[in-house]
Amino acid sequence: MASRNSFNEQDYLHPAHWRRNIWNLIVYLMLIVGSLMFILPLFWALSSSFKSDYQVMQYPPQWIPSPLRWQNYPEALTYVPFGRFALNTLFIAALAILGNLLSCTIIAYGFARLRAPGKNFFFILMLSTMMLVEPVRIIPLYIEFNTLGWIDSYLPLIVPAFFGSPFYIFLLRQFFMNIPLELEEAALIDGANRLQILWKVILPLSKPALAAIAIFNFQGVWNDFLYPLVFLHKQSNYTIALGLNFFRSTYTVHWGYLMAASIVALLPMVIIFFIAQRYFIQGITFTGIKG
């Protein structure tokens, strides 16, 4: 026992031990500073959601508002048809997620497992489309959807999801490549075709990646402002991101209402993330194992 204590004491006084502790201290300090930088804007928004417009603009800022304007929340949610906007966004998000999961799964499985001439070339070509900026794409898309008569409907926001997204296809392909080939070979020997293998073997093992894609997609649709702004004209079709813009006018901004509505709009994302947090982290981790 004495020799063990003596060894621990020597280990404690060793320079490597102190260097490791100092490095850990630096890492923790950096993480704390980084966390505060990310939390501070959210805390400011939460604090401002309980203030009047005058209090929001006060300098130095009053972090704990006094008095608290609790009525900002009910007044903000009745100032615009917030429930209608939320339902519109949920409808678009649900169908967009369904479309992306169906199309991206099939396309990613083909890139990961099937053999075809020029497969790698088309995969790189598909990835290169991610470099196109939105203004380059949105004008041709508007002309195309206007020709089809889809403007001011949800179709421009939903139908493209059924043709896949390069980023989600890339994530799923990376995940599928980590699944052992022996599982598919065993299924082929048992007489299963490719579609049955994808449905009964690959998809049950891909829940983390599918959950990660669903969360990414939901976040993208929920926060999307540009595409609904271009393709939706009637106010009754607006999404939450467009609805928040009602709190701004040419000369004034209702900051208290805007922050209250923004906090409410943020809640679904936070709830979904915490519910699917385990799958989400697994999906991101596994898709980054093999390139």
Side-chain angles (χ1 to χ4, degrees):
M1 189 67 180
S3 61
R4 184 178 177 182
N5 291 336
S6 174
F7 172 78
N8 290 336
E9 184 176 349
Q10 290 176 1
D11 186 54
Y12 181 76
L13 296 175
H14 197 278
H17 175 81
W18 285 100
R19 283 198 295 270
R20 187 168 59 249
N21 283 346
I22 291 173
W23 175 247
N24 288 337
L25 179 63
I26 293 172
V27 170
Y28 282 120
L29 285 175
M30 291 173 64
L31 290 175
I32 290 171
V33 171
S35 301
L36 289 176
M37 289 175 63
F38 281 101
I39 291 174
L40 196 61
L42 180 62
F43 182 73
W44 182 85
L46 181 63
S47 170
S48 300
S49 69
F50 294 103
K51 296 177 182 176
S52 64
D53 293 344
Y54 170 75
Q55 288 175 306
V56 173
M57 302 307 295
Q58 274 186 328
Y59 186 83
Q62 188 181 11
W63 293 101
I64 308 297
S66 178
L68 293 171
R69 275 186 57 84
W70 296 96
Q71 60 269 33
N72 276 356
Y73 280 85
E75 290 176 0
L77 299 184
T78 53
Y79 187 82
V80 296
F82 196 85
R84 173 73 183 184
F85 297 157
L87 287 176
N88 293 344
T89 316
L90 285 174
F91 175 73
I92 297 169
L95 291 180
I97 290 171
L98 176 65
N100 269 315
L101 290 181
L102 284 174
S103 58
C104 295
T105 299
I106 295 172
I107 298 170
Y109 180 73
F111 278 126
R113 293 300 201 218
L114 302 184
R115 295 180 180 177
K119 184 181 74 172
N120 291 333
F121 168 76
F122 285 108
F123 181 66
I124 294 172
L125 183 65
M126 181 203 67
L127 291 183
S128 65
T129 61
M130 294 169 61
M131 300 177 187
L132 295 175
V133 295
E134 296 299 333
V136 174
R137 300 176 54 214
I138 203 160
I139 295 174
L141 284 175
Y142 185 87
I143 295 172
E144 178 184 345
F145 294 143
N146 190 43
T147 304
L148 294 171
W150 289 2
I151 298 299
D152 205 20
S153 74
Y154 297 136
L155 292 175
L157 305 175
I158 294 171
V159 173
F162 284 83
F163 292 90
S165 163
F167 179 63
Y168 301 146
I169 292 170
F170 172 75
L171 284 181
L172 275 177
R173 174 185 176 268
Q174 301 304 103
F175 192 90
F176 291 161
M177 291 176 69
N178 290 316
I179 297 176
L181 273 172
E182 290 76 9
L183 293 174
E184 292 188 54
E185 292 171 351
L188 284 171
I189 292 172
D190 289 340
N193 56 40
R194 286 291 180 181
L195 193 59
Q196 290 172 323
I197 291 173
L198 177 61
W199 181 255
K200 296 183 178 179
V201 178
I202 301 297
L203 289 186
L205 297 173
S206 306
K207 289 179 182 176
L210 296 174
I213 288 173
I215 294 174
F216 275 136
N217 198 186
F218 181 79
Q219 182 191 22
V221 174
W222 194 261
N223 295 330
D224 187 18
F225 180 80
L226 179 62
Y227 282 85
L229 178 67
V230 172
F231 296 129
L232 300 179
H233 295 167
K234 281 192 298 190
Q235 182 180 325
S236 58
N237 289 338
Y238 278 12
T239 59
I240 280 217
L242 289 181
L244 292 178
N245 206 39
F246 277 99
F247 298 108
R248 300 178 55 191
S249 62
T250 305
Y251 302 105
T252 60
V253 179
H254 300 293
W255 287 107
Y257 290 175
L258 178 60
M259 291 300 114
S262 300
I263 292 295
V264 175
L266 183 67
L267 289 179
M269 281 304 311
V270 175
I271 294 171
I272 288 176
F273 176 77
F274 279 107
I275 291 175
Q277 181 180 195
R278 182 166 59 92
Y279 288 117
F280 179 71
I281 294 174
Q282 285 179 358
I284 295 297
T285 304
F286 290 154
T287 50
I289 289 175
K290 188 174 181 179

